[in-house]
Amino acid sequence: YISIGLGVILFISIVLFRKQITLPYFFYIIYLFALIAFTQYSTYKQGDYDVIRYYATYSIFSELNFTQVLPFFIKQGDVFFYFIVFLLTRIFPNDPRMLSFFFVIATSVFNLLAARNVGFLINNKPSSYYTKKQLLFWFISFFLIISFPLFTNIFRQFFAMSLLFYGFSRKSLGKSYWLFIILAILSHWSMLIYVLLFLFLYKFRDREEIILAFAPLLSILFNFILPLIPFFKDKIQAYAMGEEILGVDKTLIAIVIFIQLALYVYLRSLKKIFKDWYFLLLIMLVFSCIFIFNSTIITRHYYFLSAYIAVLFTFSTSVSMVRNTLQNKLRKNILILLI
């Protein structure tokens, strides 16, 4: 912790005296958080948390060969995630902390690259230098937007979301993207629901009134379709029926919907700039409508929403058109927001 603290102090000192910020500064923040994640060590006997179950799986994988763990991959469905875990056990068989270290770096890097692509989309050119405000936003996003303690607990979902966002950012730039979408689904099966909504509603992407009007109908339709999907059938059925309980207050449902509606109001006039990202926000609103009575799914959706905000605004708010539009919207609607 002393080394990390000194590293933070040195980093801040350098930033204060630098006029131009380059991408390695953002990577250094990722490295610092990965080091913090590396310091957490638990055994599978110390509690019922996701990260502890991952540590237990890590210990089991380290004693097995690929043929022996393959049935586990197939049963879980999240093949790509557990394949990476298996590879880590080949390199570091006795230190499950490398699991935390690796996935904090991998997830954050994919989110950062996705955010950089968003900036590229709006500026129509890649940036070589960035502002201190952007660096600060990226740093505090680990605390105020993405909950870092949750981030270091549910690696699987955050890693899958980062792959999905990166793939989506490549699509918005006209690049190949399906490989990352498929890997996201194979890292956490819940990404499949977002992808299905994306495919189902894509032809209506310019008709948002149709998307939002038919959200209640989609709610009924998807609750019948999802449990029928092969390979993920058992997981989806348990997920949709609320058998997986995270013990979350129902108030979170209202909070998530409010944040999404606020984003909808502010981004609607910028939809030609944000393009597919605005469409993804509409998908998120439909997702909330489908699972509005399931606090467990909405909780996981909140993680998705938090990462979405970090990716969307890290590099885009410095663009004058975006910044001025958001500021004007904020001034005009400050009373509504306060209420």
Side-chain angles (χ1 to χ4, degrees), residues 109-173:
V109 165
F110 277 118
N111 280 337
L112 181 63
L113 294 177
R116 190 167 180 263
N117 283 345
V118 173
F120 186 14
L121 174 70
I122 297 173
N123 287 301
N124 293 318
K125 61 179 180 179
S127 299
S128 299
Y129 299 100
Y130 305 92
T131 66
K132 293 179 182 179
K133 290 181 179 179
Q134 290 173 324
L135 187 66
L136 178 62
F137 183 90
W138 175 247
F139 178 77
I140 65 175
S141 69
F142 283 89
F143 299 103
L144 300 182
I145 301 175
I146 299 173
S147 174
F148 186 66
L150 287 173
F151 182 13
T152 54
N153 180 39
I154 51 174
F155 291 121
R156 193 158 43 98
Q157 182 172 350
F158 272 102
F159 177 62
M161 289 188 300
S162 69
L163 289 170
L164 187 70
F165 287 135
Y166 180 62
F168 204 79
S169 71
R170 289 179 61 87
K171 180 191 178 305
S172 65
L173 295 177

Side-chain angles (χ1 to χ4, degrees), residues 141-148 150-151 154 157-158 161 165 191 194 239 246 248-249 251-260 263 284 287-288 294-310:
S141 69
F142 283 89
F143 299 103
L144 300 182
I145 301 175
I146 299 173
S147 174
F148 186 66
L150 287 173
F151 182 13
I154 51 174
Q157 182 172 350
F158 272 102
M161 289 188 300
F165 287 135
M191 298 302 105
Y194 295 99
Y239 195 56
L246 295 181
V248 189
D249 196 305
T251 307
L252 189 61
I253 296 177
I255 294 174
V256 168
I257 293 177
F258 172 78
I259 293 174
Q260 290 174 148
L263 285 172
M284 292 161 62
F287 186 99
S288 299
N294 192 314
S295 62
T296 294
I297 296 182
I298 292 296
T299 300
R300 292 191 178 276
H301 181 56
Y302 169 74
Y303 307 150
F304 190 91
L305 174 62
S306 64
Y308 171 87
I309 293 173

